[in-house]
Amino acid sequence: MCIRVYVPSHAGPAIVSQPEPKSPDIGFMDRHHFLLRRLHSLSGIVPVGVFVIMHLFTNAQMMWGQDETGESTFQHEVDFIHATPALLFVEIALWGAIAFHAGLGVLYMTGIVPNVMKYRNLDNWRYTLQRVTAWVALVFIFVHIATLRWRWSMFGWFTPFYARVDAETGWTHGGEAMALPLTAYALQYSWLVVVFYAVGVLSVVFHWANGLWTAAITWGVTISKGAQRRWGFMCAGLGVALTAFFLAAMVGALKYDLDSDMTERQQKALDKVVPTWRGDAPDSSNE
Amino acid sequence: MNASQSTTSSTKTPSTVRIKVKRQDRPDTDPYWQPFDVPFVANANIISCLQQIASKPVTADGRRVAPVAWDCNCLEEVCGACTMVINGVARQSCSTLLHELVSDGTGTTDEPIVLEPMSKFPVLRDLFVDRSRMFNNLKAIKGWVPIDGTTSLGSGPKEDQASQDMRYALSRCMTCGCCLEACPQFTFDNDFVGAQVIGQALYFNMHETGAELKDDRLEAMEAPGGIADCGNAQNCVKVCPKELPLTEAIASVGRQTTVHAIKSFFTGK
């Protein structure tokens, strides 16, 4: 192919301000560019995405409420998870996978030029939303883990999560079933928490379902337009199912009445880990 | 009644059309805007409007200025040279007809037609950009069939119809740059190669003799700026004037790189 660049004589010399493409080798990130990109894709699907499915399905069990002893199907699921050997290492691996996916994702987002207002079409909206929901999910997941799992008190917002709490001693590795009451307490803390969780979880669900759709193209699984469309229906179905699980969990957590649904021993256990709950809890839905 | 009729007819066929051009005198100077009024001619294309401006380079406010520079060649949408951003969208100025923009059913003639150079390539002057990045990228993926040598290679390989249909579609690429202009991942100064080169990598990988260089192409595709930088916004396939199956090509090359990377991971190449 013949390359001719016509430069009008009065325009002066052609100063091509663009850097030369492809400098041969720079560093670790460039040497392993392809591998890191693919690991970024994989880390979103296998550790993080599959965990999200399990997590939301577990949460959906909150819909069934608890029996008169305070036990529930949700508690049963939580106890099962907490019985995992070396759970802390599993958790650390998961946090590591999220950090890896998020860190590379932020790096890969630098410099891109979203143009959905110029090129308005559904796919371009998906592309843009994937990146918007990435930021929302990053903030949401951090706050979610920090408040419930790491039990930080953020801006006076203290909603720790324990599976079981002893009503007499406050020991947090056995005793009353507290998974459902403590989750209900966290979500009923303020209507802002409900909004935060709705936006956060829906962002995660979109990011996961859409990421699964694009990953199939990236890895070369869905090639034809038809295949991409069919896989799109599957991913949308997954998104709808996960949204339904979330709604079930939300209904379960909000309909749980901290004043009348807890057993006396559960109330005593809650006194041990959140002494202020009686003053804070009626903030939103219990009035 | 007469008044309303004349209003209607003037809405449909205006006598002049306002064209706003984003101009730039030199590659290293700042751009600025100039409005021009050109006579409305039915079926005129944007290039004939630019020719009108060239023949009478006077702005709408009456100043005599240097004529607008642009690039063009074939005038029939097969060379790709006259690509520019017309009303915000990358397309060829030879195949963009004036009346499509002026009376596209909305009947609005007040809105000027806006012409800008492509934003992802260095501007040489006015609407004239330097597209050599695309040609350099074609070199990087060895976008050719290796047949040089001192002995006869015999007759070419046979090709089945399905492969031929796909390759014919990919062969229509005219290196115009629309797919790259519309791509949110392809920016002015990053090293992403974009849909154009990925499509051509598949085109030559599918050729029986061209496949001799398949490993080299896939390694280029796995390098920084290669296929892994695609973000699946799929604007490329929608703006491609030659209707190349670009997203299918991206997925195909994605599969080829997946297989190639796994093979080389275990065999060490």
Side-chain angles (χ1 to χ4, degrees):
Chain A
M1 193 175 296
C2 172
I3 307 166
R4 284 188 308 163
V5 177
Y6 167 69
V7 184
S9 57
H10 50 277
I15 300 164
V16 179
S17 53
Q18 196 168 283
E20 280 295 306
K22 302 278 175 295
S23 43
D25 193 345
I26 306 139
F28 180 85
M29 293 299 290
D30 282 341
R31 260 198 325 279
H32 302 286
H33 182 79
F34 186 76
L35 179 67
L36 286 169
R37 279 277 194 179
R38 288 295 168 93
L39 285 178
H40 177 244
S41 170
L42 194 63
S43 65
I45 296 170
V46 182
V48 185
V50 171
F51 169 76
V52 165
I53 294 181
M54 290 167 58
H55 189 14
L56 288 174
F57 183 70
T58 304
N59 292 2
Q61 310 304 316
M62 280 195 282
M63 188 175 58
W64 310 116
Q66 67 175 42
D67 64 17
E68 61 281 0
T69 66
E71 297 296 327
S72 60
T73 40
F74 178 57
Q75 184 69 40
H76 179 262
E77 301 283 312
V78 172
D79 286 343
F80 173 76
I81 292 165
H82 283 226
T84 308
L87 181 61
L88 183 63
F89 292 98
V90 177
E91 283 184 289
I92 290 171
L94 192 60
W95 298 333
I98 295 170
F100 175 81
H101 187 77
L104 280 184
V106 168
L107 193 67
Y108 293 150
M109 267 194 278
T110 54
I112 60 165
V113 280
N115 54 13
V116 73
M117 300 322 280
K118 272 188 185 169
Y119 298 91
R120 291 164 187 256
N121 62 70
L122 196 61
D123 290 314
N124 207 13
W125 273 111
R126 269 197 316 89
Y127 168 89
T128 311
L129 266 180
Q130 184 72 357
R131 279 135 191 89
V132 171
T133 54
W135 285 109
V136 176
L138 182 57
V139 172
F140 168 72
I141 291 168
F142 176 75
V143 173
H144 171 62
I145 296 175
T147 51
L148 289 174
R149 175 64 187 81
W150 298 333
R151 302 167 187 122
W152 292 5
S153 174
M154 298 179 93
F155 319 110
W157 168 17
F158 181 58
T159 57
F161 180 85
Y162 298 95
R164 287 184 180 273
V165 177
D166 191 284
E168 308 303 332
T169 63
W171 188 56
T172 54
H173 297 275
E176 297 311 306
M178 292 305 288
L180 181 51
L182 278 169
T183 311
Y185 172 69
L187 279 164
Q188 293 176 17
Y189 197 80
S190 162
W191 62 270
L192 283 170
V193 176
V194 176
V195 172
F196 181 65
Y197 268 72
V199 172
V201 176
L202 291 179
S203 293
V204 168
V205 167
F206 176 86
H207 193 81
W208 163 221
N210 184 54
L212 194 60
W213 186 76
T214 55
I217 300 171
T218 301
W219 291 80
V221 177
T222 53
I223 288 186
S224 70
K225 273 185 187 166
Q228 291 179 12
R229 195 180 61 246
R230 287 189 290 277
W231 182 239
F233 290 133
M234 302 277 285
C235 295
L238 178 76
V240 170
L242 293 181
T243 304
F245 291 164
F246 165 69
L247 290 175
M250 196 58 118
V251 167
L254 293 182
K255 79 175 183 191
Y256 188 88
D257 191 328
L258 286 167
D259 291 319
S260 62
D261 285 352
M262 274 197 286
T263 64
E264 272 183 39
R265 291 184 64 77
Q266 278 177 320
Q267 292 188 7
K268 282 176 77 178
L270 189 52
D271 284 336
K272 295 288 182 197
V273 287
V274 193
T276 55
W277 72 273
R278 288 174 207 274
D280 293 347
D283 189 9
S284 60
S285 55
N286 283 350
E287 284 298 326
Chain B
M1 191 176 166
N2 280 341
S4 76
Q5 268 181 346
S6 69
T7 311
T8 314
S9 65
S10 74
T11 306
K12 278 185 179 158
T13 54
S15 55
T16 61
V17 179
R18 172 67 56 92
I19 297 183
K20 252 178 78 182
V21 183
K22 190 179 188 183
R23 306 201 57 179
Q24 186 171 330
D25 295 341
R26 292 169 56 89
D28 54 351
T29 56
D30 290 333
Y32 57 94
W33 291 91
Q34 267 177 359
F36 295 91
D37 286 329
V38 300
F40 178 87
V41 179
N43 298 321
N45 59 10
I46 293 298
I47 288 197
S48 33
C49 295
L50 289 168
Q51 287 170 334
Q52 297 268 14
I53 294 172
S55 68
K56 186 173 173 255
V58 177
T59 61
D61 46 15
R63 280 189 305 127
R64 190 164 187 90
V65 293
V68 177
W70 79 97
D71 193 8
C72 70
N73 188 9
C74 74
L75 304 181
E76 55 182 11
E77 204 191 75
V78 290
C79 78
C82 68
T83 309
M84 57 186 72
V85 177
I86 302 169
N87 283 355
V89 175
R91 53 194 299 193
Q92 279 69 53
S93 44
C94 66
S95 55
T96 303
L97 299 183
L98 197 52
H99 63 84
E100 288 173 13
L101 300 175
V102 172
S103 55
D104 55 351
T106 62
T108 49
T109 55
D110 301 338
E111 294 286 314
I113 293 167
V114 181
L115 303 183
E116 297 165 78
M118 282 196 284
S119 64
K120 307 288 177 76
F121 300 96
V123 173
L124 295 176
R125 185 185 170 110
D126 295 340
L127 303 171
F128 197 145
V129 297
D130 178 359
R131 292 178 299 134
S132 37
R133 179 174 171 184
M134 282 192 283
F135 299 101
N136 290 334
N137 287 340
L138 279 176
K139 283 187 241 167
I141 59 137
K142 303 194 177 173
W144 57 76
V145 174
I147 50 166
D148 288 348
T150 52
T151 56
S152 166
L153 296 175
S155 59
K158 288 204 167 61
E159 184 171 20
D160 66 81
Q161 192 62 46
S163 156
Q164 203 179 88
D165 288 348
M166 181 65 176
R167 288 208 320 114
Y168 179 71
L170 293 169
S171 76
R172 291 191 302 242
C173 178
M174 56 186 183
T175 325
C176 67
C178 282
C179 57
L180 308 178
E181 178 66 19
C183 176
Q185 297 283 115
F186 184 99
T187 67
F188 182 82
D189 50 8
N190 71 359
D191 52 9
F192 184 39
V193 295
Q196 166 245 341
V197 153
I198 298 171
Q200 295 310 293
L202 180 63
Y203 175 61
F204 289 108
N205 279 355
M206 284 177 76
H207 188 281
E208 296 249 355
T209 313
E212 281 178 26
L213 298 173
K214 186 172 174 180
D215 283 347
D216 293 356
R217 286 191 202 103
L218 294 180
E219 272 153 37
M221 282 285 110
E222 289 165 15
I227 188 164
D229 293 1
C230 171
N232 293 298
Q234 302 201 334
N235 285 343
C236 52
V237 75
K238 296 182 185 73
V239 297
C240 179
K242 307 313 284 184
E243 297 177 348
L244 264 71
L246 289 170
T247 47
E248 294 181 34
I250 289 167
S252 288
V253 176
R255 179 179 289 188
Q256 290 179 359
T257 49
T258 301
V259 172
H260 177 263
I262 291 172
K263 269 187 185 166
S264 52
F265 183 84
F266 286 110
T267 63
K269 264 174 271 186

